[in-house]
Amino acid sequence: MPRAGEMADVSSVLADLKLNTVCQSAICPNMCQCFARKTATFMIMGNICTRNCTFCAIAKGKPSELEADEPERIAAAVGRLSLKYVVITSVTRDDLSDGGAAHFAKTIEAIHSACPETLVEVLVPDFQGLSSALETVADARPAVINHNIETVPRLYKEVRPLANYHRSLDLISKIKEIDSRIVTKSGIMLGLGETREEVLEAMKDLRFSGCNLLTLGQYLAPSSQHHQVVSYVTPDEFSSYVRPGLDMGFSGVASAPLVRSSYRAVELFREAQLKDPSGN
Ligand code: SF4
């Protein structure tokens, strides 16, 4: 637990600038630690999602209107917290023709112009496989584009019913086609009923799609209404995925119970940069 007051900076900036974080909306177990370290994952385009993933605590339903000044408010928060690395994510906005890609691009550009030294990682939805949407985001030159496959293909129906495993893999390979300098990243939750063989297979699929960075973390049910936890994977089991992952060619693998998509994101990015500055 952080010492008194350590989280205040981030919390007051978020409240002041009326900003959402996935940390709060998804009830992330690392929030205290990250806020105390003055880092957070900003969530743009509201906190109501058009999808119905059974593991996710975020509200589902009719999303709110886009806020035109949100990119500038995010950039202001980045400046006030003097963040050198920032992660931007969003709910899925299937109600928007470009899935919100232009709003992502405006947010990246606003941060680049207000804080040129700050590296931006974006954790994007699948834009329903729309290449033009992905180009819009990639053209804004984020350092990292992250898209989680979340689980193994056999469990998609019960975990991510409106998503598609191969569409998510295609999105990652398309990023490399658009701009091979952009570092790609994905994440898998363990404990939903997958087998070790299925996880290793999914890791191979990600590498085949050109994914550079991988996160593996323990699924925790936000409530009894959400998908149940099928197993608690031990820290040793998590560690046992790192070597095979690096042997497959991932530049960085973060694998432990409390690892989340953007947990210690800057460390994983720096690790990859040291290993392979070209990002291939
Ligand atoms: S698409 Fe993302 S925000 Fe929406 S329900 Fe699924 S995990 Fe949650």
Side-chain angles (χ1 to χ4, degrees), residues 63-89:
S64 47
E65 290 298 309
L66 287 188
E67 298 165 7
D69 68 341
E70 187 176 45
E72 280 65 37
R73 287 178 4 239
I74 298 261
V78 171
R80 282 174 59 177
L81 294 167
S82 18
L83 299 179
K84 291 295 166 260
Y85 192 97
V86 63
V87 183
I88 308 291
T89 190

PDB file of all heavy atoms in Angstrom, residues 63-89:
ATOM      1  N   PRO A  63     -22.522   4.278 -25.512  1.00  0.00           N
ATOM      2  CA  PRO A  63     -21.447   5.187 -25.084  1.00  0.00           C
ATOM      3  C   PRO A  63     -21.859   6.654 -25.138  1.00  0.00           C
ATOM      4  O   PRO A  63     -22.827   7.006 -25.812  1.00  0.00           O
ATOM      5  CB  PRO A  63     -20.329   4.899 -26.092  1.00  0.00           C
ATOM      6  CG  PRO A  63     -20.689   3.608 -26.731  1.00  0.00           C
ATOM      7  CD  PRO A  63     -22.203   3.559 -26.733  1.00  0.00           C
ATOM      8  N   SER A  64     -21.056   7.467 -24.457  1.00  0.00           N
ATOM      9  CA  SER A  64     -21.329   8.911 -24.440  1.00  0.00           C
ATOM     10  C   SER A  64     -20.703   9.579 -25.671  1.00  0.00           C
ATOM     11  O   SER A  64     -19.900   8.971 -26.378  1.00  0.00           O
ATOM     12  CB  SER A  64     -20.695   9.495 -23.167  1.00  0.00           C
ATOM     13  OG  SER A  64     -19.374   8.985 -23.050  1.00  0.00           O
ATOM     14  N   GLU A  65     -21.089  10.827 -25.925  1.00  0.00           N
ATOM     15  CA  GLU A  65     -20.525  11.599 -27.042  1.00  0.00           C
ATOM     16  C   GLU A  65     -19.017  11.771 -26.854  1.00  0.00           C
ATOM     17  O   GLU A  65     -18.537  11.848 -25.705  1.00  0.00           O
ATOM     18  CB  GLU A  65     -21.160  13.011 -27.075  1.00  0.00           C
ATOM     19  CG  GLU A  65     -22.632  13.021 -27.485  1.00  0.00           C
ATOM     20  CD  GLU A  65     -22.793  12.474 -28.913  1.00  0.00           C
ATOM     21  OE1 GLU A  65     -22.061  12.970 -29.797  1.00  0.00           O
ATOM     22  OE2 GLU A  65     -23.567  11.523 -29.094  1.00  0.00           O
ATOM     23  N   LEU A  66     -18.259  11.825 -27.946  1.00  0.00           N
ATOM     24  CA  LEU A  66     -16.825  12.117 -27.839  1.00  0.00           C
ATOM     25  C   LEU A  66     -16.647  13.554 -27.349  1.00  0.00           C
ATOM     26  O   LEU A  66     -17.425  14.436 -27.715  1.00  0.00           O
ATOM     27  CB  LEU A  66     -16.147  11.962 -29.206  1.00  0.00           C
ATOM     28  CG  LEU A  66     -15.955  10.552 -29.746  1.00  0.00           C
ATOM     29  CD1 LEU A  66     -15.089  10.587 -31.012  1.00  0.00           C
ATOM     30  CD2 LEU A  66     -15.313   9.651 -28.705  1.00  0.00           C
ATOM     31  N   GLU A  67     -15.650  13.781 -26.527  1.00  0.00           N
ATOM     32  CA  GLU A  67     -15.354  15.140 -26.030  1.00  0.00           C
ATOM     33  C   GLU A  67     -14.186  15.699 -26.840  1.00  0.00           C
ATOM     34  O   GLU A  67     -13.050  15.221 -26.724  1.00  0.00           O
ATOM     35  CB  GLU A  67     -15.026  15.084 -24.533  1.00  0.00           C
ATOM     36  CG  GLU A  67     -16.206  14.563 -23.697  1.00  0.00           C
ATOM     37  CD  GLU A  67     -15.799  14.149 -22.280  1.00  0.00           C
ATOM     38  OE1 GLU A  67     -14.628  14.400 -21.910  1.00  0.00           O
ATOM     39  OE2 GLU A  67     -16.624  13.562 -21.572  1.00  0.00           O
ATOM     40  N   ALA A  68     -14.471  16.712 -27.652  1.00  0.00           N
ATOM     41  CA  ALA A  68     -13.459  17.229 -28.605  1.00  0.00           C
ATOM     42  C   ALA A  68     -12.186  17.714 -27.913  1.00  0.00           C
ATOM     43  O   ALA A  68     -11.082  17.589 -28.457  1.00  0.00           O
ATOM     44  CB  ALA A  68     -14.085  18.365 -29.424  1.00  0.00           C
ATOM     45  N   ASP A  69     -12.314  18.205 -26.670  1.00  0.00           N
ATOM     46  CA  ASP A  69     -11.115  18.750 -26.007  1.00  0.00           C
ATOM     47  C   ASP A  69     -10.367  17.703 -25.174  1.00  0.00           C
ATOM     48  O   ASP A  69      -9.388  18.015 -24.491  1.00  0.00           O
ATOM     49  CB  ASP A  69     -11.502  19.934 -25.089  1.00  0.00           C
ATOM     50  CG  ASP A  69     -12.342  19.461 -23.889  1.00  0.00           C
ATOM     51  OD1 ASP A  69     -12.910  18.336 -23.977  1.00  0.00           O
ATOM     52  OD2 ASP A  69     -12.427  20.192 -22.889  1.00  0.00           O
ATOM     53  N   GLU A  70     -10.823  16.443 -25.245  1.00  0.00           N
ATOM     54  CA  GLU A  70     -10.190  15.399 -24.423  1.00  0.00           C
ATOM     55  C   GLU A  70      -8.702  15.224 -24.755  1.00  0.00           C
ATOM     56  O   GLU A  70      -7.872  15.127 -23.836  1.00  0.00           O
ATOM     57  CB  GLU A  70     -10.924  14.055 -24.572  1.00  0.00           C
ATOM     58  CG  GLU A  70     -10.423  12.979 -23.618  1.00  0.00           C
ATOM     59  CD  GLU A  70     -11.218  11.689 -23.723  1.00  0.00           C
ATOM     60  OE1 GLU A  70     -11.479  11.245 -24.877  1.00  0.00           O
ATOM     61  OE2 GLU A  70     -11.584  11.125 -22.675  1.00  0.00           O
ATOM     62  N   PRO A  71      -8.307  15.209 -26.070  1.00  0.00           N
ATOM     63  CA  PRO A  71      -6.867  15.067 -26.372  1.00  0.00           C
ATOM     64  C   PRO A  71      -6.013  16.135 -25.674  1.00  0.00           C
ATOM     65  O   PRO A  71      -4.961  15.820 -25.099  1.00  0.00           O
ATOM     66  CB  PRO A  71      -6.840  15.215 -27.898  1.00  0.00           C
ATOM     67  CG  PRO A  71      -8.174  14.687 -28.338  1.00  0.00           C
ATOM     68  CD  PRO A  71      -9.136  15.158 -27.291  1.00  0.00           C
ATOM     69  N   GLU A  72      -6.494  17.382 -25.675  1.00  0.00           N
ATOM     70  CA  GLU A  72      -5.718  18.458 -25.024  1.00  0.00           C
ATOM     71  C   GLU A  72      -5.678  18.255 -23.504  1.00  0.00           C
ATOM     72  O   GLU A  72      -4.670  18.505 -22.853  1.00  0.00           O
ATOM     73  CB  GLU A  72      -6.333  19.824 -25.356  1.00  0.00           C
ATOM     74  CG  GLU A  72      -5.948  20.370 -26.725  1.00  0.00           C
ATOM     75  CD  GLU A  72      -6.492  19.499 -27.869  1.00  0.00           C
ATOM     76  OE1 GLU A  72      -7.621  18.987 -27.723  1.00  0.00           O
ATOM     77  OE2 GLU A  72      -5.756  19.324 -28.867  1.00  0.00           O
ATOM     78  N   ARG A  73      -6.779  17.775 -22.947  1.00  0.00           N
ATOM     79  CA  ARG A  73      -6.801  17.559 -21.486  1.00  0.00           C
ATOM     80  C   ARG A  73      -5.827  16.436 -21.104  1.00  0.00           C
ATOM     81  O   ARG A  73      -5.123  16.522 -20.097  1.00  0.00           O
ATOM     82  CB  ARG A  73      -8.221  17.223 -21.022  1.00  0.00           C
ATOM     83  CG  ARG A  73      -9.133  18.440 -21.057  1.00  0.00           C
ATOM     84  CD  ARG A  73     -10.581  18.259 -20.666  1.00  0.00           C
ATOM     85  NE  ARG A  73     -11.027  16.997 -20.200  1.00  0.00           N
ATOM     86  CZ  ARG A  73     -12.008  16.288 -20.796  1.00  0.00           C
ATOM     87  NH1 ARG A  73     -12.570  16.737 -21.911  1.00  0.00           N
ATOM     88  NH2 ARG A  73     -12.404  15.153 -20.304  1.00  0.00           N
ATOM     89  N   ILE A  74      -5.764  15.404 -21.930  1.00  0.00           N
ATOM     90  CA  ILE A  74      -4.807  14.315 -21.661  1.00  0.00           C
ATOM     91  C   ILE A  74      -3.382  14.861 -21.732  1.00  0.00           C
ATOM     92  O   ILE A  74      -2.549  14.616 -20.847  1.00  0.00           O
ATOM     93  CB  ILE A  74      -4.986  13.171 -22.693  1.00  0.00           C
ATOM     94  CG1 ILE A  74      -6.377  12.549 -22.603  1.00  0.00           C
ATOM     95  CG2 ILE A  74      -3.860  12.155 -22.564  1.00  0.00           C
ATOM     96  CD1 ILE A  74      -6.494  11.289 -21.836  1.00  0.00           C
ATOM     97  N   ALA A  75      -3.121  15.664 -22.782  1.00  0.00           N
ATOM     98  CA  ALA A  75      -1.766  16.233 -22.939  1.00  0.00           C
ATOM     99  C   ALA A  75      -1.417  17.114 -21.745  1.00  0.00           C
ATOM    100  O   ALA A  75      -0.277  17.073 -21.241  1.00  0.00           O
ATOM    101  CB  ALA A  75      -1.698  17.027 -24.244  1.00  0.00           C
ATOM    102  N   ALA A  76      -2.408  17.843 -21.236  1.00  0.00           N
ATOM    103  CA  ALA A  76      -2.168  18.698 -20.063  1.00  0.00           C
ATOM    104  C   ALA A  76      -1.813  17.841 -18.844  1.00  0.00           C
ATOM    105  O   ALA A  76      -0.878  18.160 -18.090  1.00  0.00           O
ATOM    106  CB  ALA A  76      -3.422  19.533 -19.774  1.00  0.00           C
ATOM    107  N   ALA A  77      -2.508  16.722 -18.680  1.00  0.00           N
ATOM    108  CA  ALA A  77      -2.219  15.821 -17.558  1.00  0.00           C
ATOM    109  C   ALA A  77      -0.812  15.249 -17.677  1.00  0.00           C
ATOM    110  O   ALA A  77      -0.069  15.192 -16.689  1.00  0.00           O
ATOM    111  CB  ALA A  77      -3.242  14.692 -17.527  1.00  0.00           C
ATOM    112  N   VAL A  78      -0.428  14.865 -18.889  1.00  0.00           N
ATOM    113  CA  VAL A  78       0.918  14.322 -19.120  1.00  0.00           C
ATOM    114  C   VAL A  78       1.974  15.352 -18.722  1.00  0.00           C
ATOM    115  O   VAL A  78       2.973  15.036 -18.068  1.00  0.00           O
ATOM    116  CB  VAL A  78       1.087  13.908 -20.599  1.00  0.00           C
ATOM    117  CG1 VAL A  78       2.542  13.546 -20.908  1.00  0.00           C
ATOM    118  CG2 VAL A  78       0.162  12.746 -20.930  1.00  0.00           C
ATOM    119  N   GLY A  79       1.697  16.623 -19.094  1.00  0.00           N
ATOM    120  CA  GLY A  79       2.633  17.702 -18.741  1.00  0.00           C
ATOM    121  C   GLY A  79       2.678  17.924 -17.229  1.00  0.00           C
ATOM    122  O   GLY A  79       3.761  17.962 -16.624  1.00  0.00           O
ATOM    123  N   ARG A  80       1.506  17.991 -16.605  1.00  0.00           N
ATOM    124  CA  ARG A  80       1.457  18.263 -15.159  1.00  0.00           C
ATOM    125  C   ARG A  80       2.092  17.148 -14.344  1.00  0.00           C
ATOM    126  O   ARG A  80       2.662  17.383 -13.285  1.00  0.00           O
ATOM    127  CB  ARG A  80       0.011  18.489 -14.711  1.00  0.00           C
ATOM    128  CG  ARG A  80      -0.486  19.893 -15.067  1.00  0.00           C
ATOM    129  CD  ARG A  80      -1.943  20.098 -14.772  1.00  0.00           C
ATOM    130  NE  ARG A  80      -2.306  19.890 -13.366  1.00  0.00           N
ATOM    131  CZ  ARG A  80      -3.556  20.083 -12.919  1.00  0.00           C
ATOM    132  NH1 ARG A  80      -4.518  20.472 -13.765  1.00  0.00           N
ATOM    133  NH2 ARG A  80      -3.856  19.851 -11.646  1.00  0.00           N
ATOM    134  N   LEU A  81       2.011  15.921 -14.824  1.00  0.00           N
ATOM    135  CA  LEU A  81       2.613  14.787 -14.096  1.00  0.00           C
ATOM    136  C   LEU A  81       4.024  14.496 -14.597  1.00  0.00           C
ATOM    137  O   LEU A  81       4.675  13.543 -14.137  1.00  0.00           O
ATOM    138  CB  LEU A  81       1.729  13.547 -14.259  1.00  0.00           C
ATOM    139  CG  LEU A  81       0.344  13.633 -13.613  1.00  0.00           C
ATOM    140  CD1 LEU A  81      -0.549  12.491 -14.094  1.00  0.00           C
ATOM    141  CD2 LEU A  81       0.460  13.626 -12.083  1.00  0.00           C
ATOM    142  N   SER A  82       4.501  15.316 -15.556  1.00  0.00           N
ATOM    143  CA  SER A  82       5.820  15.157 -16.227  1.00  0.00           C
ATOM    144  C   SER A  82       6.094  13.690 -16.528  1.00  0.00           C
ATOM    145  O   SER A  82       7.111  13.116 -16.141  1.00  0.00           O
ATOM    146  CB  SER A  82       6.957  15.781 -15.424  1.00  0.00           C
ATOM    147  OG  SER A  82       6.587  15.978 -14.107  1.00  0.00           O
ATOM    148  N   LEU A  83       5.133  13.083 -17.234  1.00  0.00           N
ATOM    149  CA  LEU A  83       5.280  11.668 -17.609  1.00  0.00           C
ATOM    150  C   LEU A  83       6.229  11.542 -18.799  1.00  0.00           C
ATOM    151  O   LEU A  83       6.075  12.252 -19.784  1.00  0.00           O
ATOM    152  CB  LEU A  83       3.914  11.080 -17.962  1.00  0.00           C
ATOM    153  CG  LEU A  83       2.858  11.087 -16.854  1.00  0.00           C
ATOM    154  CD1 LEU A  83       1.560  10.490 -17.360  1.00  0.00           C
ATOM    155  CD2 LEU A  83       3.362  10.325 -15.629  1.00  0.00           C
ATOM    156  N   LYS A  84       7.181  10.637 -18.714  1.00  0.00           N
ATOM    157  CA  LYS A  84       8.103  10.406 -19.829  1.00  0.00           C
ATOM    158  C   LYS A  84       7.600   9.273 -20.709  1.00  0.00           C
ATOM    159  O   LYS A  84       8.056   9.082 -21.828  1.00  0.00           O
ATOM    160  CB  LYS A  84       9.490  10.074 -19.279  1.00  0.00           C
ATOM    161  CG  LYS A  84      10.145  11.288 -18.604  1.00  0.00           C
ATOM    162  CD  LYS A  84      10.417  12.394 -19.640  1.00  0.00           C
ATOM    163  CE  LYS A  84      10.751  13.723 -18.984  1.00  0.00           C
ATOM    164  NZ  LYS A  84       9.538  14.635 -18.982  1.00  0.00           N
ATOM    165  N   TYR A  85       6.646   8.490 -20.172  1.00  0.00           N
ATOM    166  CA  TYR A  85       6.062   7.379 -20.927  1.00  0.00           C
ATOM    167  C   TYR A  85       4.599   7.314 -20.529  1.00  0.00           C
ATOM    168  O   TYR A  85       4.293   7.307 -19.336  1.00  0.00           O
ATOM    169  CB  TYR A  85       6.765   6.069 -20.561  1.00  0.00           C
ATOM    170  CG  TYR A  85       6.456   4.898 -21.475  1.00  0.00           C
ATOM    171  CD1 TYR A  85       7.306   4.547 -22.516  1.00  0.00           C
ATOM    172  CD2 TYR A  85       5.306   4.134 -21.294  1.00  0.00           C
ATOM    173  CE1 TYR A  85       7.032   3.469 -23.355  1.00  0.00           C
ATOM    174  CE2 TYR A  85       5.018   3.062 -22.130  1.00  0.00           C
ATOM    175  CZ  TYR A  85       5.880   2.736 -23.160  1.00  0.00           C
ATOM    176  OH  TYR A  85       5.599   1.661 -23.992  1.00  0.00           O
ATOM    177  N   VAL A  86       3.701   7.326 -21.496  1.00  0.00           N
ATOM    178  CA  VAL A  86       2.278   7.321 -21.164  1.00  0.00           C
ATOM    179  C   VAL A  86       1.534   6.283 -21.996  1.00  0.00           C
ATOM    180  O   VAL A  86       1.889   6.046 -23.153  1.00  0.00           O
ATOM    181  CB  VAL A  86       1.660   8.727 -21.363  1.00  0.00           C
ATOM    182  CG1 VAL A  86       1.723   9.170 -22.826  1.00  0.00           C
ATOM    183  CG2 VAL A  86       0.232   8.767 -20.832  1.00  0.00           C
ATOM    184  N   VAL A  87       0.557   5.648 -21.355  1.00  0.00           N
ATOM    185  CA  VAL A  87      -0.255   4.660 -22.061  1.00  0.00           C
ATOM    186  C   VAL A  87      -1.674   5.191 -22.199  1.00  0.00           C
ATOM    187  O   VAL A  87      -2.245   5.687 -21.230  1.00  0.00           O
ATOM    188  CB  VAL A  87      -0.273   3.300 -21.332  1.00  0.00           C
ATOM    189  CG1 VAL A  87      -1.072   2.276 -22.133  1.00  0.00           C
ATOM    190  CG2 VAL A  87       1.143   2.804 -21.071  1.00  0.00           C
ATOM    191  N   ILE A  88      -2.202   5.104 -23.412  1.00  0.00           N
ATOM    192  CA  ILE A  88      -3.555   5.558 -23.706  1.00  0.00           C
ATOM    193  C   ILE A  88      -4.371   4.363 -24.178  1.00  0.00           C
ATOM    194  O   ILE A  88      -3.938   3.643 -25.081  1.00  0.00           O
ATOM    195  CB  ILE A  88      -3.563   6.612 -24.834  1.00  0.00           C
ATOM    196  CG1 ILE A  88      -2.584   7.748 -24.561  1.00  0.00           C
ATOM    197  CG2 ILE A  88      -4.977   7.119 -25.093  1.00  0.00           C
ATOM    198  CD1 ILE A  88      -2.965   8.658 -23.414  1.00  0.00           C
ATOM    199  N   THR A  89      -5.503   4.118 -23.566  1.00  0.00           N
ATOM    200  CA  THR A  89      -6.375   3.044 -24.026  1.00  0.00           C
ATOM    201  C   THR A  89      -7.790   3.577 -24.188  1.00  0.00           C
ATOM    202  O   THR A  89      -8.034   4.772 -23.992  1.00  0.00           O
ATOM    203  CB  THR A  89      -6.351   1.830 -23.079  1.00  0.00           C
ATOM    204  OG1 THR A  89      -7.050   0.746 -23.725  1.00  0.00           O
ATOM    205  CG2 THR A  89      -7.010   2.135 -21.739  1.00  0.00           C
TER     206      THR A  89
END
